[in-house]
Amino acid sequence: MKAAAADQPAGNRRRSRRAGRPLAPVITADSIADAAIGLLDESGDFTMAQLARRLGVGASALYNHVTGKEEVLARVRELVSDRIDTDVFDSVPFFDALLVWARSYRDAFARHPATIAVFATTALDGAGRTTGMYERVVAAFLRAGWPEDDVMTTLVALEDFIMGAALDAVAPADMFQLRSPQDAPTLSRVTAAARRSPSGTRPAQASFEAGIEAMLTGLRVRLARLSA
Amino acid sequence: MKAAAADQPAGNRRRSRRAGRPLAPVITADSIADAAIGLLDESGDFTMAQLARRLGVGASALYNHVTGKEEVLARVRELVSDRIDTDVFDSVPFFDALLVWARSYRDAFARHPATIAVFATTALDGAGRTTGMYERVVAAFLRAGWPEDDVMTTLVALEDFIMGAALDAVAPADMFQLRSPQDAPTLSRVTAAARRSPSGTRPAQASFEAGIEAMLTGLRVRLARLSA
DNA sequence: ACCTGAACACCGTTCAAGT
DNA sequence: ACCTGAACACCGTTCAAGT
């Protein structure tokens, strides 16, 4: 009745590894984070059991490499932060760079909705890539002449909008598609008009562009006022 | 060994109710939503078991009144939406009203972080108070002369910012308090400057005010451009 | 109709046993 | 050090039994 253990070393399809320490580690903290981001991309969430299954180990094996799910999410955040473009600040004018940065920031997180709440509420722990991202953006604010004591306030305001837009990007397209339009005639009229409009872009996308444009317009005014 | 069942009818301290249908219903969909919002206020989250315990029933009893946790959250959203001030649109100029509305919107959700993601991603289902809130705000946009096919785009852009700010309001105050400041000297300098600044308001609050001001400034420009 | 209490499939995490 | 597999306390939800 015993199934033959015919696994190739590289294969992870079938379950067969006897208990005890393997000759070489099967997983690493990095491979765990990679697998997590894969699951996040595919289904928007992950469990420790799914993670372990994908890596071909038991769930408890994960805890030899990470302290728990929270650390996995923190590591995912680092990987996601890495996709945010901060190089633009060296090549184009400040406000133009801010627009590119904001778009890449929103896109990076819109693909991983499960990380948004964690990202927004977990403290930075030092030397990571997320900290590096902030360091470069803050430096750009200062080079643009932004008052030192207003940089964080403004940067976080921008982040608030970006995170809200990332959350919205995963909302159902028909959020405002009412069953009984007569209960909210004005809302129905306006959502219908939006659908007819020749935007081409998806609604969430259009709102992001409208919002970031308004915000940057307002921030130009703010900078002028604070500089005066 | 059997404990005496000495409960007052109104008391819900001790567990004692024999199986079978009670003479009068013990809970209702409304009392469930009320209890949920209480737990949300106290600890930022709730489980069906906690909800049942607070109501003095078994967890399975909840399912006689709601279909599941999702419905509970939807009902909480309705209660929260009810706290958003839309009356201002009748009493003060449009952009001033928008500011008051945005503040009350953010405050309503900042107290219930667990509902933010649900609110942002669940479709409206018709005749509720949330729909009513939208109906009144949309009407105000139109009265202010906003182009019909741009109302939803702009309203959602505002909501993106408000929701992001609500999420930020529950973030730890020391998010940017690095363990090793030398790894990010510019970021450290700027966060230190922000702490010294005589704002009086909390950082998340200051960012909300800066952001909504910038956004409304930008939207005034947008309205002028679209009207031209 | 509306409760209780047992049960189910799952969750994240711990830990002894094995190499 | 790093795996397996059993176990724990919990989660949301279902359902038979009781009135």
Side-chain angles (χ1 to χ4, degrees):
Chain A
M1 233 27 159
K2 43 178 62 172
D7 267 346
Q8 306 306 97
N12 62 355
R13 319 201 92 260
R14 304 235 151 268
R15 172 59 28 79
S16 88
R17 184 162 34 241
R18 61 194 208 282
R21 183 190 187 193
L23 298 174
V26 182
I27 55 176
T28 65
D30 282 338
S31 72
I32 291 172
D34 280 342
I37 219 169
L39 288 169
L40 248 5
D41 283 338
E42 287 163 27
S43 68
D45 205 357
F46 73 90
T47 71
M48 295 300 269
Q50 290 172 336
L51 212 44
R53 206 171 306 126
R54 169 168 294 220
L55 291 163
V57 296
S60 58
L62 301 172
Y63 294 83
N64 290 305
H65 303 273
V66 294
T67 56
K69 189 171 187 176
E70 204 163 336
E71 183 182 334
V72 177
L73 278 164
R75 286 178 179 276
V76 166
R77 166 163 82 171
E78 293 296 287
L79 292 176
V80 172
S81 290
D82 230 21
R83 297 191 198 158
I84 300 174
D85 184 0
T86 52
D87 291 340
V88 267
F89 289 106
D90 299 325
S91 54
V92 303
F94 178 63
F95 278 98
D96 297 336
L98 226 33
L99 180 60
V100 174
W101 168 78
R103 283 192 186 127
S104 75
Y105 197 154
R106 182 247 189 194
D107 290 346
F109 280 95
R111 298 180 53 196
H112 313 287
T115 65
I116 295 173
V118 190
F119 184 99
T121 53
T122 339
L124 262 39
D125 64 340
R129 281 94 101 94
T130 309
T131 302
M133 186 272 283
Y134 281 115
E135 177 73 3
R136 289 187 293 279
V137 176
V138 164
F141 268 88
L142 293 178
R143 272 184 275 128
W146 214 279
E148 200 171 276
D149 65 352
D150 193 64
V151 171
M152 286 314 292
T153 297
T154 301
L155 173 52
V156 171
L158 269 168
E159 261 193 302
D160 286 351
F161 172 70
I162 291 165
M163 284 297 167
L167 213 52
D168 188 39
V170 302
D174 58 346
M175 263 213 80
F176 296 100
Q177 185 72 54
L178 303 177
R179 281 194 246 123
S180 40
Q182 68 277 15
D183 289 333
T186 316
L187 177 59
S188 299
R189 181 152 63 90
V190 148
T191 52
R195 275 193 292 275
R196 279 194 310 273
S197 103
S199 67
T201 52
R202 295 181 55 255
Q205 179 73 25
S207 286
F208 172 77
E209 290 297 330
I212 193 67
E213 186 189 279
M215 199 121 195
L216 293 179
T217 300
L219 290 186
R220 280 177 201 268
V221 174
R222 185 181 184 85
L223 177 58
R225 177 160 43 77
L226 292 177
S227 301
Chain B
M1 236 21 163
K2 41 178 65 172
D7 268 344
Q8 304 306 100
N12 61 356
R13 320 202 87 262
R14 303 238 152 267
R15 171 62 26 80
S16 87
R17 185 162 32 240
R18 63 195 206 282
R21 183 190 187 195
L23 298 174
V26 182
I27 54 176
T28 64
D30 282 339
S31 72
I32 291 172
D34 281 343
I37 220 170
L39 289 169
L40 249 5
D41 283 339
E42 287 162 28
S43 67
D45 204 358
F46 73 89
T47 70
M48 295 300 268
Q50 289 172 337
L51 212 44
R53 206 172 304 127
R54 168 167 295 219
L55 291 163
V57 295
S60 57
L62 301 173
Y63 295 83
N64 291 304
H65 305 273
V66 294
T67 56
K69 189 170 188 178
E70 205 164 335
E71 183 182 335
V72 177
L73 279 163
R75 286 179 178 275
V76 167
R77 167 165 80 171
E78 293 296 286
L79 291 177
V80 172
S81 290
D82 229 22
R83 298 192 198 157
I84 300 174
D85 183 1
T86 53
D87 291 340
V88 267
F89 288 106
D90 298 326
S91 53
V92 303
F94 179 63
F95 279 99
D96 297 336
L98 225 35
L99 180 61
V100 174
W101 168 78
R103 282 191 186 126
S104 76
Y105 197 155
R106 182 245 189 196
D107 289 346
F109 280 96
R111 297 180 54 199
H112 313 287
T115 64
I116 295 173
V118 189
F119 184 99
T121 53
T122 343
L124 296 175
D125 65 340
R129 281 94 103 94
T130 309
T131 302
M133 189 271 285
Y134 281 115
E135 177 73 1
R136 289 187 293 278
V137 177
V138 163
F141 268 87
L142 293 177
R143 272 184 275 128
W146 214 280
E148 201 171 275
D149 66 352
D150 192 65
V151 170
M152 286 314 291
T153 297
T154 301
L155 174 53
V156 171
L158 269 169
E159 260 193 303
D160 286 351
F161 172 70
I162 291 165
M163 283 298 167
L167 212 53
D168 189 40
V170 302
D174 58 347
M175 262 212 80
F176 296 100
Q177 185 72 54
L178 304 177
R179 282 196 245 121
S180 41
Q182 68 277 14
D183 289 332
T186 316
L187 177 60
S188 299
R189 181 153 63 89
V190 149
T191 53
R195 276 192 292 276
R196 279 194 309 274
S197 101
S199 67
T201 51
R202 294 180 55 256
Q205 179 73 25
S207 287
F208 172 77
E209 290 297 331
I212 193 68
E213 187 189 278
M215 198 122 195
L216 293 179
T217 300
L219 290 186
R220 281 179 201 267
V221 174
R222 183 180 185 86
L223 176 59
R225 177 160 43 77
L226 292 177
S227 301

